[in-house]
Amino acid sequence: MRVGLLGLGRIGAFHAATLAAHPLVDELIVSDPVRTSPYGGPGDAFEADAVVVATPTSTHAELIMKACRLGVPVFCEKPVAGTVADTVKVLEARAGNRVAVGFQRRFDPGYVAAARALRAGELGELHRVHLVTADPAPPPASYVPLSGGIFRDCHIHDFDILRWVTGREVVSVYATGANRGAAFFAEAGDVDNSAALLTLDDGTLATLQGSRYNGGGYDVRMELAGTKRTQVVGLAARAPLHTTEGLPGMAEPWPDFVARFESAYRAELDAFLRGDESLCSIEDALEALYVAEAADLSLREGRPVEVAEVRR
């Protein structure tokens, strides 16, 4: 098939190499106003059999809707759009077209194994979940005002994987945050360290922690505590953790999200090209965004927020 790729930033360049090497891709058409790629030639990406969108967030909604009007299957990196209203607009304009949204943790072997174990009853009844997403260094100052804030930009991955692994919905959020680093976070109305308590629709409690300044390295984990056992995702040799008792076989920590989830990104694109229906849908992306909206509102107003308050 012929595949069009829009955007050659960090993740776009990674996708270009993945697509160019994929056995189902005969031709890669690459479109970026600034960058070029050695993996594909220029052209109209929307004339391809499928389109992959890896452009800035502000362009996602327009590009997805254009693909839908033309009847071209589209894979778009998260988010669908920067706001709930625009996400709903894209959902309404989909018109039956195939749209997949990039939440790569669904294709990470650790999360897949945890979901299977939980659903098979190996953990017993789930009582608690703990989630961590911590970056070793902050994004550029120019990015923060456009990011939507740490809960929409960063923790939306946690909200999606929480729903996907547990099969439950978040009903309420109590979030907080702090500014411990550069002034540009506070100036943009954002925080660089975050925490939240989420309640699921069956009463299960989930706690969340995050940071833009995790000196140990890139840290993404999920703990699922059940009545039979606790399952942990991300507690491997490259987890940036040191204990007073010591852990054997510790290796260099993951430097960033691309290195940590390289295999998941490749598996996700493979699933899209093969027509796999298990990818994140617009509806799923919207549910995760509702949780992020509730968390952001809770942070700003200093109170628990029901997710129903932000639904439209």
Side-chain angles (χ1 to χ4, degrees):
M1 66 174 69
R2 301 172 73 231
V3 177
L5 172 64
L6 299 166
L8 283 170
R10 187 180 190 184
I11 195 62
F14 179 86
H15 287 337
T18 299
L19 292 167
H22 198 282
L24 291 181
V25 179
D26 299 310
E27 180 183 356
L28 180 61
I29 302 169
V30 177
S31 176
D32 188 289
V34 178
R35 307 172 185 89
T36 59
S37 170
Y39 298 106
D44 187 347
F46 290 97
E47 292 182 355
D49 301 306
V51 173
V52 174
V53 176
T55 55
T57 294
S58 60
T59 65
H60 287 185
E62 178 184 352
L63 294 173
I64 294 172
M65 289 190 289
K66 180 176 181 179
C68 291
R69 289 194 301 270
L70 295 172
V72 180
V74 57
F75 173 92
C76 182
E77 282 296 335
K78 70 87 185 169
V80 173
T83 66
V84 167
D86 285 341
T87 303
V88 171
K89 183 179 178 181
V90 175
L91 178 60
E92 293 172 344
R94 181 178 53 187
N97 198 61
R98 183 164 178 259
V99 180
V101 186
F103 280 95
Q104 84 285 349
R105 293 187 195 182
R106 294 178 176 219
F107 290 85
D108 177 76
Y111 289 100
V112 172
R116 287 175 179 166
L118 179 61
R119 293 164 191 170
E122 296 174 14
L123 279 63
E125 182 182 1
L126 184 65
H127 281 185
R128 292 173 287 108
V129 181
H130 183 56
L131 300 139
V132 176
T133 295
D135 295 320
S142 60
Y143 174 79
V144 174
L146 307 174
S147 70
I150 195 169
F151 290 109
R152 297 186 189 90
D153 175 55
C154 178
H155 290 308
I156 197 165
H157 283 285
D158 296 296
F159 303 145
D160 176 72
I161 205 63
L162 176 63
R163 295 183 62 250
W164 187 78
V165 169
T166 66
R168 314 300 310 193
E169 299 294 345
V170 178
V171 295
S172 68
V173 184
Y174 196 2
T176 188
N179 294 102
R180 305 298 302 276
F184 59 75
F185 284 102
E187 291 168 357
D190 196 8
V191 294
D192 52 52
N193 281 268
S194 53
L197 172 65
L198 303 95
T199 303
L200 306 188
D201 56 11
D202 66 345
T204 299
L205 298 178
T207 53
L208 168 73
Q209 291 181 340
S211 178
R212 300 291 198 180
Y213 289 95
N214 196 57
Y218 185 67
D219 189 10
V220 172
R221 284 175 285 121
M222 183 181 203
E223 301 171 16
L224 300 150
T227 53
K228 291 184 179 179
R229 78 178 192 208
T230 297
Q231 188 92 14
V232 183
V233 181
L235 188 60
R238 298 191 70 176
L241 302 173
H242 294 268
T243 74
T244 54
E245 293 83 6
L247 284 175
M250 293 297 290
E252 187 70 20
W254 296 108
D256 54 34
F257 66 93
V258 176
R260 166 63 178 85
F261 290 110
E262 178 179 345
S263 65
Y265 279 118
R266 296 189 191 280
E268 188 177 44
L269 278 184
D270 177 72
F272 171 67
L273 295 174
R274 297 184 187 280
D276 191 331
E277 295 300 325
S278 67
L279 287 103
C280 181
S281 65
I282 298 179
E283 289 90 344
D284 285 331
L286 181 58
E287 289 299 326
L289 181 57
Y290 282 139
V291 181
E293 289 282 312
D296 188 69
L297 182 59
S298 176
L299 172 68
R300 287 187 282 110
E301 297 191 354
R303 64 176 179 88
V305 172
E306 300 288 323
V307 175
E309 292 182 46
V310 300
R311 287 187 178 278
R312 297 187 182 180

